[in-house]
Amino acid sequence: MSLHPMFVFLATWAASFLGTLPFGPINLSVVDTTIRQSFRAGLWFSVAAAIVEIGQSFIALQFNHNITGYLDGHPWAKLVAAMVFLGIGLAFLLRKDKEEDQKQQWPQKSNFVRGLFISLLNAQAIPFWIFVLAYLEASQSIRFSTHQSMQIVTAFFLGVSTGKLAALLLFGLLGQLISQRSQMIQHWMNKAIGGILIGIGLFQGLQAAIG
């Protein structure tokens, strides 16, 4: 089946958008950033995450199943990610609430860098894109690769990044809505995000231990 750039864009956009919707460290951090600072701060965080997603999908596109085999054969990689998620989760749990006038003092650059950092730790994105590529190949009899035309490759990365960004902006709007409704939710948001991150870290550590 010959590939059309619009089909590639729509398929990868939908996959990226839907893959971002389940609660995880990135979209929860967007909600937290929006609540504590502003929608603009959450936007910078989201843009960084979308850029990282391009790199992770490129790795999946380039190396495909070799990456999954490497991660399965090296439990220490999962263990390192587990420790980092545990550390970030504890930081959320122990963080004290900020006053409204303090929230605006955070530089936008720090939100962008934080978005890059947390997104780079999201190692699940690479296996996710390997699965998406394998599914499309099996169901539609098509095969993506970096050796295809520039239009196809560009459409692929545009779909990946804009789908991710669109989903994260929805979480940013959710955070803005929460912030407008009640400042008391900030305290419990820290606890919820911290608990989920620690849970992810424990799960990663368990995988590394039994792997």
Side-chain angles (χ1 to χ4, degrees), residues 15-94:
S16 185
F17 182 86
L18 294 175
T20 306
L21 293 181
F23 282 110
I26 298 177
N27 46 31
L28 286 174
S29 295
V30 171
V31 175
D32 176 75
T33 300
T34 304
I35 290 176
R36 289 184 157 273
Q37 300 177 52
S38 64
F39 180 79
R40 184 179 181 184
L43 173 61
W44 278 99
F45 187 102
S46 301
V47 169
I51 292 174
V52 171
E53 192 82 3
I54 294 177
Q56 292 169 329
S57 63
F58 172 80
I59 294 174
L61 192 65
Q62 185 72 22
F63 299 101
N64 211 335
H65 299 289
N66 292 334
I67 296 296
T68 301
Y70 178 83
L71 292 176
D72 291 338
H74 296 78
W76 62 266
K78 295 180 180 179
L79 184 60
V80 170
M83 297 301 294
V84 173
F85 277 122
L86 285 172
I88 297 176
L90 287 173
F92 270 102
L93 286 176
L94 299 176

Side-chain angles (χ1 to χ4, degrees), residues 7-208:
F7 171 80
V8 173
F9 173 80
L10 292 176
T12 53
W13 190 97
S16 185
F17 182 86
L18 294 175
T20 306
L21 293 181
F23 282 110
I26 298 177
N27 46 31
L28 286 174
S29 295
V30 171
V31 175
D32 176 75
T33 300
T34 304
I35 290 176
R36 289 184 157 273
Q37 300 177 52
S38 64
F39 180 79
R40 184 179 181 184
L43 173 61
W44 278 99
F45 187 102
S46 301
V47 169
I51 292 174
V52 171
E53 192 82 3
I54 294 177
Q56 292 169 329
S57 63
F58 172 80
I59 294 174
L61 192 65
Q62 185 72 22
F63 299 101
N64 211 335
H65 299 289
N66 292 334
I67 296 296
T68 301
Y70 178 83
L71 292 176
D72 291 338
H74 296 78
W76 62 266
K78 295 180 180 179
L79 184 60
V80 170
M83 297 301 294
V84 173
F85 277 122
L86 285 172
I88 297 176
L90 287 173
F92 270 102
L93 286 176
L94 299 176
R95 184 196 293 184
K96 295 181 179 180
D97 295 330
K98 303 289 185 180
E99 296 295 333
E100 182 68 24
D101 59 350
Q102 291 178 317
K103 293 193 286 186
Q104 305 300 330
Q105 295 177 5
W106 287 65
Q108 301 297 338
K109 184 184 295 186
S110 68
N111 294 305
F112 184 84
V113 173
R114 195 160 60 92
L116 291 175
F117 178 72
I118 295 180
S119 299
L120 286 171
L121 293 176
N122 186 35
Q124 294 92 340
I126 297 175
F128 168 77
W129 282 109
I130 290 177
F131 169 79
V132 170
L133 293 170
Y135 173 80
L136 290 174
E137 181 178 348
S139 62
Q140 301 291 335
S141 299
I142 58 177
R143 183 176 181 86
F144 292 105
S145 75
T146 54
H147 301 294
Q148 289 170 322
S149 68
M150 182 62 67
Q151 286 182 323
I152 297 298
V153 175
T154 301
F156 177 84
F157 290 130
L158 279 177
V160 167
S161 58
T162 57
K164 181 82 171 184
L165 183 60
L168 291 179
L169 289 181
L170 284 181
F171 282 96
L173 292 174
L174 173 63
Q176 190 176 43
L177 179 62
I178 293 174
S179 179
Q180 292 172 349
R181 290 299 179 89
S182 175
Q183 296 296 326
M184 291 294 294
I185 298 180
Q186 293 182 26
H187 173 74
W188 297 107
M189 180 62 68
N190 282 337
K191 306 303 181 185
I193 294 176
I196 291 175
L197 290 174
I198 289 176
I200 293 174
L202 292 175
F203 178 74
Q204 292 278 359
L206 180 61
Q207 280 189 321

